Amino acid sequence: MDWINVHTHKPGIGINIVDPCLGEVQVPEQGKVYYSKGIHPLFIDGEAEKKIQEIEAAAADRKIVAIGEAGLDRNSETGIERQMELFEQEAAIAARFDLPLIIHVVKAIPELIMVYKKCKEPGKWIIHGFNNRRELLQELLRHGFYISAGRHVMNRESPVYRLLPEVPRERLLLETDNSDYTIEEVYRQVAECRDERAEELQQYVQLNFEKLFRI
Ligand SMILES: [Zn+2]
């Protein structure tokens, strides 16, 4: 069994899906690295159209195994309409190439659902770094989204720590994002929170990973 990390900017042990959007990535000595590519909603600039073309080319050339992180963020300087427009294009690329879509969403879940409903083929949507209310978790699950839990889980007072036992096994993924926790630490914390053995958690997360990613 491997430690599968579906979204990180700082790869380590196990299988890492790395998003280089925060800058230079140090490839670890142990661990495997695969890349994803997207437009982070906090960093939308005048080059966005060009970046969409690059994402599409990378997907066509199989240089990436996922699209993202991409999504919607109310704290972004870019208006939500423009964010939705770009995100819709990225979701369409993900669907066309049958790639998972790694989603960053901050204070914009209703808008995210709107884009989802507009997509002809919504595909495999993963909400990364989930840390929100129960009603929103239920809504995301109802629409078939996967939930990726990461650094917020390390805080026992966080919303996601309390809600984790409610995420069905077949929808759960784990990540480290830009934190300094190891993916093993995240697994151990999540296993404890869900009252499972870490090996059991590894097993079903791996099944989810194999269903979503073609690696
Ligand atoms: Zn990230």
Side-chain angles (χ1 to χ4, degrees):
M1 281 293 133
D2 243 318
W3 306 104
I4 294 167
N5 188 351
V6 295
H7 177 67
T8 181
H9 305 279
K10 297 176 181 173
I13 54 163
I15 296 178
N16 302 270
I17 308 301
V18 179
D19 179 352
C21 77
L22 300 183
E24 188 99 7
V25 172
Q26 286 212 301
V27 176
E29 279 175 31
Q30 292 172 313
K32 287 192 189 123
V33 166
Y34 300 93
Y35 289 94
S36 68
K37 195 174 172 68
I39 300 176
H40 193 298
L42 291 177
F43 311 128
I44 297 172
D45 56 22
E47 305 272 273
E49 299 302 334
K50 199 178 125 212
K51 283 182 188 158
I52 291 279
Q53 285 174 11
E54 287 170 7
I55 293 165
E56 185 158 17
D61 294 345
R62 295 178 172 256
K63 290 203 172 108
I64 51 175
V65 297
I67 306 293
E69 63 188 287
L72 308 173
D73 191 325
R74 280 280 176 193
N75 298 329
S76 173
E77 283 174 13
T78 306
I80 197 79
E81 298 287 329
R82 174 67 175 146
Q83 293 183 47
M84 286 165 82
E85 207 175 278
L86 292 169
F87 179 61
E88 208 180 315
Q89 292 183 49
E90 291 169 278
I93 298 169
R96 191 166 343 127
F97 292 96
D98 192 28
L99 295 176
L101 181 60
I102 297 165
I103 302 167
H104 167 110
V105 60
V106 174
K107 298 185 205 149
I109 291 181
E111 290 84 355
L112 184 82
I113 305 275
M114 271 168 68
V115 177
Y116 178 81
K117 287 183 174 161
K118 257 180 95 180
C119 290
K120 285 188 210 97
E121 285 176 84
K124 313 163 183 175
W125 288 28
I126 301 167
I127 304 294
H128 110 75
F130 180 81
N131 190 32
N132 217 312
R133 302 197 313 270
R134 171 174 287 117
E135 305 81 76
L136 293 173
L137 173 65
Q138 284 166 347
E139 181 157 20
L140 294 169
L141 290 171
R142 202 165 48 239
H143 285 94
F145 296 3
Y146 287 76
I147 303 295
S148 176
R151 64 193 167 89
H152 298 294
V153 163
M154 303 311 281
N155 170 8
R156 285 165 202 264
E157 307 298 319
S158 65
V160 66
Y161 188 85
R162 273 185 289 112
L163 293 173
L164 261 182
E166 297 177 27
V167 179
R169 287 184 166 201
E170 62 278 11
R171 297 286 191 83
L172 186 64
L173 296 162
L174 303 177
E175 63 176 52
T176 57
D177 198 10
N178 60 346
S179 75
D180 290 317
Y181 294 112
T182 68
I183 190 66
E184 183 175 350
E185 286 171 318
V186 174
Y187 270 77
R188 298 219 177 273
Q189 177 90 340
V190 170
E192 191 191 316
C193 165
R194 288 168 65 90
D195 200 16
E196 295 167 349
R197 285 179 303 113
E199 296 72 28
E200 215 176 335
L201 176 63
Q202 273 186 309
Q203 254 166 24
Y204 65 75
V205 168
Q206 176 141 357
L207 287 178
N208 295 340
F209 178 74
E210 285 166 3
K211 205 157 72 182
L212 295 173
F213 292 78
R214 280 173 293 124
I215 287 177

